[in-house]
Amino acid sequence: MTERKEVLDYGMTLPAVYTDAPFHDDNWVLLRFRKNKKAFAWTYEKDGTMRVNVKVDPQWRDFWRNAYPSVLPGYHQNKDHWNTVILDGTIPDQEIKRMIAESYDLIAKQK
């Protein structure tokens, strides 16, 4: 995955999801869980690459950051609970989908 559309298309396959652009800035497009309106994927371009912020269980946070140099602490978000994934083609699509799905699962549990 290297494009926003790929992230959004995958995210929209999950139940009760919608896209949102809450900042009146086309650079930021979020995927939200319809039942609680919480975002689980924040897509944006920074420094010439597309990125997605995903919520992460703190016990897995460092696993992802150590496994891939393109996974960083969450940009503009809580560094303990969010990772930024740089979509530069170095992370297998299945792993990115796994991170998005895990983020969705964390958000969907919340009220």
Side-chain angles (χ1 to χ4, degrees):
M1 280 186 190
T2 58
E3 298 180 23
R4 180 192 322 259
K5 182 178 180 345
E6 294 171 292
V7 170
L8 297 178
D9 287 350
Y10 172 70
M12 292 300 292
T13 68
L14 301 169
V17 170
Y18 67 100
T19 61
D20 189 19
F23 307 120
H24 306 290
D25 177 352
D26 292 340
N27 188 40
W28 290 86
V29 179
L30 285 56
L31 287 166
R32 292 186 186 270
F33 181 56
R34 191 168 301 282
K35 293 179 182 175
N36 60 17
K37 297 184 171 71
K38 293 191 180 276
F40 64 93
W42 303 57
T43 63
Y44 58 97
E45 185 175 338
K46 182 177 181 306
D47 299 330
T49 57
M50 189 55 60
R51 297 164 186 234
V52 60
N53 287 4
V54 292
K55 191 164 181 82
V56 62
D57 187 317
Q59 70 180 353
W60 286 99
R61 173 194 64 225
D62 294 330
F63 167 81
W64 290 114
R65 292 178 191 175
N66 292 328
Y68 298 102
S70 294
V71 177
L72 309 170
Y75 177 68
H76 278 305
Q77 291 181 290
N78 182 309
K79 311 299 187 233
D80 290 333
H81 296 279
W82 290 86
N83 278 341
T84 294
V85 180
I86 301 172
L87 302 177
D88 59 4
T90 62
I91 303 171
D93 287 0
Q94 283 308 110
E95 296 286 62
I96 295 171
K97 288 178 181 179
R98 181 176 166 192
M99 287 185 259
I100 293 168
E102 288 175 358
S103 181
Y104 170 87
D105 288 344
L106 289 167
I107 292 298
K109 288 187 219 175
Q110 298 178 351
K111 292 185 178 193

